[in-house]
């Protein structure tokens, strides 16, 4: 393992008008490098979560893996750090670290997605979004382990774990990755798979963006052309029987089904379909991998509670990428999340007190995702995040159109987390952690030691800045950034 003893002496020169090195980068990439003070800087630095005010030393938008390597080499040589960012869905914890000495490397120009049915994989570039990969797989009657949103970046989602509608059957997206191509700290582009650089391959599958800039990923397709999927809706006033039924059923439901439960207070906004505007609702959505009869049987208990809308039916798999109706193109949001080891009746009461019809809250949504099934088991040859411990993960948040609204939404989300704390298992699901957290809590102690060792070896000078960093180790075992 390489140990960095001089990490705290690294040069971190920057000025509000950009460092000489940032100017040098502009010489190499032209108009695709944006410095503070440039007319294009504010648009270039804007992340998907537009409430996050990230102000890096520069934003670089390379078009090729070779250009990614150039950015890393030039920035590292001058003591600047590099933060790979696909979309900025999870920009909050990165911005909170302070970005004065950081080049945000926006991978959005690296966006292709191509299915290779002969190899049973989809190959995407490092900035690709989920929708094109879903479409590429669907053209061959196949599906990939996407999440609830079509415009989340595949790299950030998959490197952080990745829970989607097939998760209880097929596990985390991270463990469907078969290879990555990644620019490491010395600017070399390397391939990592089960046979080549296997330690790096293990680390990126769940260890996040601390190890380099991923310029391409390959991941498995699954033989799924259709699913029994949809949405059930009730008025929020019906939350108690519905949450009790769902929370009792979900932990021991078969692996074929993956669902989510949300208490929602929708704003009266013209972007929403009219029947949803200003409504307070309970929403359960998800997918069953099996016959219609099997789906009807599994969801029978919820149907007996007479939802006012029930769209569960056989649908093409590609439609699942918009099932959850996530906002697209960017939104101001503040949130909090926790991992729940169990969800007994007292947890139902606590959830309803904070998010039910009588709660005084700014939360747009308070969500529970159903874990268990394959998510709870480590598959053969898994990466650093082999499985998730817990029955549910909670994610709650609200609109942060102003800093005051953001503070209120975060406070309300944190209050829900606190109310559910007796049922939390102390872990974290880093993809849903949109504030700085202790990344250690997401891994077993042995996995964490191995991750910090690999980071120290592949990035001894701390070139990469990640939203949820895996630190390097000093010789005495103390971690650094
Ligand atoms: C609307 C919405 C819906 C979501 N739905 C789901 C869901 O269904 N399931 C789920 O598991 N999560 C979900 N998430 C969480 C999502 O997975 C995380 O926000 C994830 O980090 C987003 O990845 P990104 O690349 O789009 O974001 P970014 O903010 O661009 O990236 C996050 C981090 O990933 C790393 N990273 C990104 N790109 C690269 C790269 N090319 N090379 C190396 N490192 C990189 C970096 O460390 C970066 O800081 C959702 C989030 C939102 C806002």
């Amino acid at each position: 393992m390489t140990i960095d003893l001089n990490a705290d002496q690294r040069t971190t020169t920057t000025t509000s008008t950009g460092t000489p090195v940032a100017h040098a980068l502009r010489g190499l990439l032209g108009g695709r490098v944006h410095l503070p003070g440039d007319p294009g800087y504010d648009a270039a630095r804007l992340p998907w979560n537009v409430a996050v005010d990230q102000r890096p030393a520069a934003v670089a938008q390379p078009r090729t893996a070779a250009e990614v390597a150039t950015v890393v080499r030039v920035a590292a040589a001058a003591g600047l750090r590099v933060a790979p960012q696909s979309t900025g869905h999870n920009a909050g914890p990165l911005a909170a670290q302070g970005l004065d000495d950081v080049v945000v490397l926006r991978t959005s120009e690296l966006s292709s997605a191509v299915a290779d049915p002969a190899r049973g994989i989809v190959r995407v570039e490092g900035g690709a979004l989920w929708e094109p990969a879903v479409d590429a797989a669907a053209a061959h009657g196949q599906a990939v382990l996407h999440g609830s949103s079509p415009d989340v970046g595949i790299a950030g989602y998959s490197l952080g774990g990745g829970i989607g509608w097939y998760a209880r059957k097929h596990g985390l997206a991270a463990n469907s990755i078969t290879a990555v191509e990644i620019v490491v700290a010395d600017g070399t582009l390397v391939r990592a798979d089960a046979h080549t650089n296997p330690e790096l391959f293990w680390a990126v599958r769940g260890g996040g963006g601390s190890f380099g800039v991923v310029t391409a990923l390959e991941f498995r397709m699954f033989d799924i052309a259709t699913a029994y999927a949809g949405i059930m809706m009730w008025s929020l006033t019906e939350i108690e029987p519905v949450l009790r039924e769902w929370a009792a059923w979900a932990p021991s439901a078969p692996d074929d089904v993956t669902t989510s439960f949300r208490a929602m207070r929708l704003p009266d906004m013209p972007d929403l379909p009219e029947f949803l505007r200003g409504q307070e609702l309970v929403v359960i959505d998800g997918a069953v991998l099996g016959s219609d009869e099997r789906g009807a049987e599994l969801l029978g208990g919820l149907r007996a509670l007479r939802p006012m809308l029930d769209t569960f039916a056989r649908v093409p798999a590609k439609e699942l990428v918009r099932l959850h109706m996530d906002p697209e193109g960017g939104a101001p949001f503040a949130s909090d999340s926790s991992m729940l080891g169990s969800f007994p009746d007292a947890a139902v009461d606590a959830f309803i007190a904070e998010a039910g019809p009588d709660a005084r809250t700014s939360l747009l949504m308070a969500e529970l995702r159903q874990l268990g099934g394959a998510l709870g088991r480590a598959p053969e040859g898994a990466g650093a995040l082999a499985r998730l411990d817990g029955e549910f993960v909670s994610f709650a948040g609200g609109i942060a159109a102003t800093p005051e609204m953001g503070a209120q939404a975060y406070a309300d989300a944190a209050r829900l987390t606190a109310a559910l704390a007796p049922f939390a298992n102390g872990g974290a699901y880093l993809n849903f952690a949109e504030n700085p957290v202790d990344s250690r809590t997401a891994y077993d102690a042995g996995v964490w030691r191995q991750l910090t060792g690999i980071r120290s070896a592949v990035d001894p000078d701390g070139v990469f800045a990640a939203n949820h960093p895996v630190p390097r180790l000093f010789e005495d075992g103390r971690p650094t950034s």
Side-chain angles (χ1 to χ4, degrees):
M1 181 194 310
T2 313
I3 305 294
D4 178 17
L5 293 173
N6 301 309
D8 47 356
Q9 277 120 48
R10 266 179 353 92
T11 325
T12 55
T13 44
T14 187
T15 69
S16 61
T17 53
T19 59
V21 68
H23 284 283
L25 277 175
R26 177 137 68 191
L28 294 165
L29 266 67
R32 285 174 289 114
V33 171
H34 306 276
L35 308 179
D38 287 352
Y41 176 76
D42 282 339
R45 73 186 174 87
L46 194 69
W48 186 94
N49 185 343
V50 296
V52 175
D53 186 19
Q54 55 177 13
R55 293 176 181 271
V59 182
Q61 293 172 303
R63 283 194 184 139
T64 61
E67 286 185 351
V68 170
T70 300
V71 173
V72 171
R73 225 177 274 127
V74 172
L80 288 174
R81 295 186 294 151
V82 175
Q85 189 170 77
S86 300
T87 64
H89 274 80
N90 199 319
L94 179 70
Q97 296 166 34
L99 302 180
D100 279 359
D101 65 335
V102 168
V103 176
V104 164
L105 193 154
R106 194 44 73 63
T107 55
S108 46
E109 300 277 328
L110 297 159
S111 61
S112 71
V114 179
D116 181 345
R119 291 171 64 211
I121 59 141
V122 173
R123 178 184 165 85
V124 301
E125 289 184 292
L129 309 182
W130 269 119
E131 187 165 31
V134 168
D135 289 348
H140 301 278
Q142 304 280 299
V144 287
L145 302 187
H146 63 88
S148 63
S149 162
D151 74 351
V152 158
I154 296 174
Y157 170 96
S158 303
L159 269 48
I163 334 176
W165 297 124
Y166 314 124
R168 297 182 75 255
K169 180 79 173 178
H170 294 298
L172 293 163
N175 293 317
S176 73
I177 299 176
T178 55
V180 297
E181 287 164 14
I182 180 168
V183 172
V184 290
D186 66 1
T188 317
L189 176 64
V190 301
R191 185 174 171 92
D193 59 29
H195 310 290
T196 315
N197 297 307
E199 288 194 335
L200 184 56
F201 182 55
W202 175 85
V204 295
R205 288 178 297 147
S210 293
F211 305 91
V213 185
V214 170
T215 57
L217 297 106
E218 295 174 358
F219 43 88
R220 275 184 66 197
M221 297 195 289
F222 294 80
D223 202 6
I224 301 169
T226 65
Y228 184 77
I231 292 184
M232 289 186 192
M233 259 181 211
W234 295 259
S235 160
L236 188 59
T237 55
E238 303 289 314
I239 189 170
E240 184 165 350
V242 180
L243 182 53
R244 283 202 203 288
E245 167 70 23
W246 181 79
W249 162 83
S252 55
D255 296 5
D256 304 341
V257 60
T258 306
T259 57
S260 139
F261 176 100
R262 279 176 293 174
M264 304 193 77
R265 290 176 154 75
L266 295 165
D268 189 2
M269 275 171 45
D271 302 12
L272 291 172
E274 198 164 332
F275 77 103
L276 292 177
R277 285 182 209 159
Q279 297 298 310
E280 298 192 350
L281 298 166
V282 167
V283 180
I284 292 177
D285 52 358
V288 178
L289 292 174
S291 66
D292 294 3
E293 294 69 32
R294 173 82 169 146
E297 182 196 326
L298 287 175
L299 300 174
L302 293 167
R303 280 217 164 107
L305 297 171
R306 305 170 67 86
M308 62 186 186
L309 179 77
D310 177 356
T311 69
F312 272 88
R314 178 126 322 255
V315 295
K318 65 187 273 185
E319 288 187 10
L320 267 63
V321 81
R322 285 206 167 75
L323 178 67
H324 212 48
M325 297 181 292
D326 280 344
E328 295 176 39
F333 209 70
S335 70
D336 200 23
S337 165
S338 68
M339 298 289 283
L340 302 168
S342 63
F343 207 80
D345 266 0
V348 173
D349 296 340
F351 189 94
I352 293 173
E354 294 301 334
D358 300 327
R360 289 167 58 88
T361 180
S362 65
L363 293 177
L364 174 71
M365 45 87 94
E367 177 167 11
L368 298 164
R369 293 261 182 127
Q370 182 187 6
L371 303 181
L375 285 172
R377 301 187 292 267
E380 180 82 22
L385 195 63
R387 55 185 287 274
L388 291 176
D389 217 5
E391 288 187 350
F392 300 97
V393 55
S394 77
F395 178 81
I399 295 171
T402 63
E404 294 72 27
M405 287 174 76
Q408 187 62 55
Y410 174 68
D412 289 341
R415 237 189 22 243
L416 177 66
T417 300
L420 296 177
F423 320 103
N425 64 13
Y429 177 51
L430 296 180
N431 271 3
F432 282 1
E434 297 188 334
N435 307 294
V437 293
D438 182 348
S439 311
R440 240 178 326 188
T441 58
Y443 308 96
D444 294 339
V447 167
W448 182 247
R449 263 196 309 281
Q450 207 172 333
L451 281 173
T452 54
I454 293 171
R455 169 85 199 284
S456 306
V458 300
D459 185 13
D461 296 325
V463 168
F464 295 110
N467 56 347
H468 296 297
V470 169
R472 295 160 294 144
L473 291 176
F474 286 118
E475 213 163 37
D476 63 5
R478 278 183 305 121
T480 181
S481 64

